[in-house]
Structures are given as structure tokens and as C-alpha cells.
Amino acid sequence: VWTRATSATLQLREDPAMSGGSFQTPRKGRSDFTKAVKRRVAERAAYRCSMPKCRRLTIGPGFSDSESATCGVAAHIYSAADGGPRGVGGLSERERTSLSNAIWLCETHAKLVDANRGDSFPAEVLLGYKELHEHLIRTELLDLAVPYSWIREVEVLSSSLFVPNTRLVLGRLTLFTGPNNSGKSSLCEWIAGAASAESVGRWKTSFPSNAVTEVVIRCNRPEPVEMRLRMLPNGMSDFSIDGRPYPTNPLRINVLRVNRSTMIESASLDDIADIAHQLGEPDGAVEKLVPRIVEYGTGWLRVAHIEMSGTTRRLVARTKVSDWDLGYRQQGGAERVRTVIEFAIVLAKMTARYSPVLLVLDEMLENLDQRSLAQLVADLAEFCGELQVIVVLPSGREEGALANWQGWVRAAIERTPEGSRIV
């Protein structure tokens, strides 16, 4: 269906069916977008469908020389009315009509995402699609030759941990929760396998099993790509891309992973060497981050500089919760964790300007109190728009930051006699 409009006034419309309404009788209590919001979401999408496999152009010449035409839809991410697909997510009427709740789609996908009450396209997934698409448009607009990979789905075909054919959809922001030994960290390692074979090294050596572990990772680069990672009982692994075997994984993604094992401080008394150890990065790279950490960070560090004691580098910083400058080792345990995460965020953001990045914070947030965790979740959502983020928490810890998880895909892992499941 093509909407006719003059070239001077482009008519942007929203499909009422997108949120449980109809063309003839809009649902009572429905919260519709203004013309300004419709125009802005269309412009931010460059009038292309935001679905990763589509990107269809939705604007062009009309039926005469003085007309233009559009087949695009300003669709609601959370529903426009109570009882609509995906629900209202606790949003107020004003929030439901805001730009942040709008995604630009072609008419085909606008209807598809609402099929079966929207179960196949949760609101968090649509938010991720929107952010990915806008990031793509931004790089094109700035003429940046930025290769990127968006991991949209992981399927565990076989393993000793999960029931066969376990599927997980990733958003830009994804939360893993579950009890200990349920497979959360293993999922992170397999996803990191999209970056390099070294990322699955612990799994190959620490979990001897007669079973073959086989994982499919589906990416958009921007075209859809399917990578299959197979780990054999003898410790060997092999890759294939779209069914074609490769000796090494050619799909390079920068995975910056900070987990509980890396949070053990190194034997060095050098603060920079210690932080570099926890990030798995060279000392020199971390040292060069210090002058930029305040400018490019989330605001956690208000002051940061290096003091030398002989040949030992000492990080002196003032955090958001402190009124004075303290050495890194004088900070409390929770402050040090948050400081390391701040370095990880800044490094990931700077890298993401030129290559794809996945930031994984794996089971090392237990030291954060509820307030600090809630602030970190909000900071990740606000400051990490150029990269994908995975946060891993034990069951129950996410409740302390419940209000701040909006926009995240949550994968709750539960153990069963047959193996772990994602619910």
C-alpha cells in the first residue's frame, strides 16, 4: 500500500494494527505518535526498514512528477494501548508516544512483528534492531568504513550442559541470569567464539566429555551470516561459515570480556598492570586510556591520573561516590570493580568506532550493592550505543535494578534433569 503525498508535504502514517487497533476503529486509550515523532523516526532510519534482514527503502517518487510516496510505518515497540502486542511495558502514555518507543519499518514487517501477539519479536529485540539500524545509518552518513557484526541469535545444537537445540535471541543489551553452574559463563565463551578460537579454550580443556559441543551463531554483517562452532572431545574445534569450513574463524569481533576469574588481582603492585590483567589487554593500551577515561567515560571517575613510585605506576582517582582522590588499592572492593568496568566501557566505546565490539561482564558484579548495580545498568544503556553488551548475574540479583532493565533482553537459565533451558 503506497501512501500518496505531495513532494512538499510527505505524509508519514502509522499502521493502527501495529498496536492492536484497526484502520476503522482505533482502540480506546490508544497512544498515537505525533507527526513530528513519525517524521523524526523515519529520518533517523533514513526511510529504510529497521529489520536486519530487510532495510527496504520506504520512500520514493510518487504517481506524478509533483508527488512522493512512502510505504513505511512508524510502529510502536511497546504497545500503543493496553492489551496490544508486547504490552505497554509499564510505560506512561507520554512514554508510549515518545520517539524512544518508535521504530521505522516497512509495511510487511510492521504487520509481521505483531503476529501471534508479538511473541516472536519482544520489545527488547525491536529496541536492539532500531539501535543497530540507526548505528548503521550513522556510519554511512559519516562515510565511515566501519565493519560491524551484530550477533542476533545463538542456538546450542548439542552440549553436555543444555538441552538440544536451545535458542537464545540477543539484543543490543542482554542479561543472563541463572543459578551457579547452569551454563551462563559457557554461553559467554561460545558467543565469544565468534571472535576467536582462543575464547573457547577453557571449555575445551576444563570440561572433558564424550559429547560434541556444537553451537550456531547467527550474525548480521549487515547481510545474514551463520557461523557454526564445533568442539570435539579431543580438544579440537572447527568453524564453518554458511556451511563452508574454515581453518580459523574469519568473522572477527572484538570481545572484551571481564569475568570473575580475571578479577583476581595480579601479583604486580603496579595498578596499570593489574587493570590490564583484568581486562586481558596490554599495559600500554590501558595506560593510554587514563588521560581519556574521564572525558569518554560514564562519569564514574571524576578525576584520574598516574603517579609514579620508582617504576611502579599508581592510579589515583576520584569516583562518583568519593569526595577525595584515592589510590586504586585504597578503593573499596565494589569501587575497584566499577573502576575496572569503567576502563572496559571506554576501551570498548573507542574500539567500536572502527570495528565491532561485544562487551561481556560475566559474573563479577556480586560486589556491587543494589544502588551501584542499578546505576551501572543505566550507564550501559546510555553510554554504550555503539556496541553489544552482555551482563551475567546470579538469579535474584537483577531485582535490585529492576526499573533499569527496560530495553534489555533477559535470558533466564534454569536447570532441569535433562539439562539447562532458557526461559
Side-chain angles (χ1 to χ4, degrees):
V1 179
W2 288 81
T3 300
R4 301 185 65 177
T6 65
S7 57
T9 307
L10 175 65
Q11 183 180 352
L12 301 180
R13 71 176 183 82
E14 177 200 6
D15 185 350
M18 276 299 299
S19 300
S22 65
F23 286 103
Q24 291 78 23
T25 56
R27 182 184 297 272
K28 183 179 180 181
R30 176 183 171 81
S31 302
D32 291 324
F33 298 124
T34 65
K35 290 182 179 180
V37 167
K38 295 175 187 179
R39 180 178 296 276
R40 184 58 54 85
V41 71
E43 291 172 344
R44 289 180 63 85
Y47 292 94
R48 293 187 178 273
C49 179
S50 300
M51 288 293 284
K53 294 183 180 181
C54 183
R55 303 193 73 209
R56 176 186 178 187
L57 186 64
T58 63
I59 192 172
F63 295 96
S64 72
D65 292 343
S66 62
E67 293 179 328
S68 61
T70 177
C71 60
V73 175
H76 282 80
I77 296 174
Y78 288 97
S79 179
D82 294 337
R86 288 176 296 280
V88 297
L91 300 185
S92 66
E93 181 178 355
R94 180 178 180 181
E95 290 169 329
R96 294 200 298 271
T97 60
S98 68
L99 180 63
S100 62
N101 194 42
I103 182 172
W104 187 253
L105 300 170
C106 68
E107 291 192 332
T108 299
H109 282 114
K111 293 177 173 61
L112 179 63
V113 298
D114 271 1
N116 300 317
R117 306 294 301 165
D119 289 344
S120 298
F121 296 92
E124 296 81 7
V125 171
L126 292 183
L127 282 168
Y129 287 169
K130 175 185 177 180
E131 290 165 340
L132 168 65
H133 181 71
E134 290 185 353
H135 175 59
L136 264 177
I137 298 303
R138 186 179 299 112
T139 59
E140 291 179 13
L141 181 65
L142 298 176
D143 196 24
L144 298 176
V146 181
Y148 78 99
S149 290
W150 180 270
I151 303 176
R152 71 175 190 275
E153 184 179 78
V154 179
E155 183 174 3
V156 183
L157 301 180
S158 63
S159 76
S160 60
L161 280 177
F162 289 88
V163 298
N165 304 312
T166 296
R167 294 176 67 245
L168 166 66
V169 175
L170 297 183
R172 182 178 72 83
L173 306 167
T174 305
L175 168 68
F176 292 169
T177 63
N180 291 334
N181 302 315
S182 60
K184 301 187 299 296
S185 293
S186 295
L187 269 177
C188 291
E189 289 171 351
W190 298 337
I191 294 170
S196 66
E198 292 76 14
S199 300
V200 295
R202 185 185 72 85
W203 175 261
K204 293 191 296 184
T205 58
S206 303
F207 292 84
S209 171
N210 293 327
V212 173
T213 300
E214 193 164 7
V215 181
V216 173
I217 298 173
R218 298 182 176 96
C219 307
N220 286 70
R221 301 177 52 86
E223 72 284 352
V225 173
E226 181 176 285
M227 190 203 80
R228 184 165 300 205
L229 169 65
R230 197 162 61 110
M231 292 158 281
L232 306 176
N234 61 5
M236 300 297 290
S237 64
D238 57 56
F239 300 93
S240 64
I241 307 295
D242 292 335
R244 178 179 295 179
Y246 283 83
T248 59
N249 180 12
L251 300 184
R252 291 295 172 180
I253 302 174
N254 293 285
V255 178
L256 182 55
R257 184 177 174 213
V258 187
N259 63 13
R260 182 157 38 195
S261 62
T262 65
M263 292 304 295
I264 300 173
E265 293 182 357
S266 65
S268 172
L269 296 178
D270 187 301
D271 293 344
I272 301 303
D274 183 42
I275 295 172
H277 165 75
Q278 296 180 62
L279 295 179
E281 297 292 330
D283 286 17
V286 173
E287 183 174 349
K288 292 175 182 177
L289 279 181
V290 175
R292 298 171 174 82
I293 196 80
V294 174
E295 178 182 358
Y296 292 101
T298 67
W300 167 253
L301 293 178
R302 296 184 291 164
V303 173
H305 61 273
I306 295 175
E307 292 183 356
M308 300 298 298
S309 177
T311 59
T312 301
R313 293 164 296 184
R314 180 170 173 259
L315 176 66
V316 177
R318 185 186 313 160
T319 68
K320 183 182 289 187
V321 297
S322 176
D323 293 327
W324 51 83
D325 298 355
L326 291 175
Y328 170 69
R329 295 173 193 273
Q330 294 175 291
Q331 296 178 358
E335 281 186 281
R336 285 200 303 274
V337 168
R338 187 63 179 84
T339 296
V340 172
I341 293 174
E342 189 75 353
F343 273 86
I345 289 173
V346 173
L347 180 60
K349 286 179 60 179
M350 296 181 74
T351 305
R353 289 178 176 268
Y354 301 100
S355 61
V357 176
L358 171 64
L359 174 62
V360 181
L361 304 180
D362 181 6
E363 287 194 347
M364 35 74 67
L365 306 181
E366 291 90 340
N367 289 330
L368 300 185
D369 58 28
Q370 291 188 352
R371 181 177 179 182
S372 299
L373 179 59
Q375 185 60 58
L376 173 61
V377 171
D379 288 345
L380 290 170
E382 181 178 356
F383 291 96
C384 296
E386 303 91 352
L387 51 134
Q388 279 188 286
V389 179
I390 294 175
V391 167
V392 180
L393 288 174
S395 298
R397 275 307 317 272
E398 75 277 12
E399 301 301 327
L402 193 59
N404 288 9
W405 291 113
Q406 189 172 34
W408 290 67
V409 173
R410 178 184 176 189
I413 303 173
E414 63 176 18
R415 288 182 297 190
T416 73
E418 296 79 24
S420 293
R421 297 179 182 272
I422 295 175
V423 296

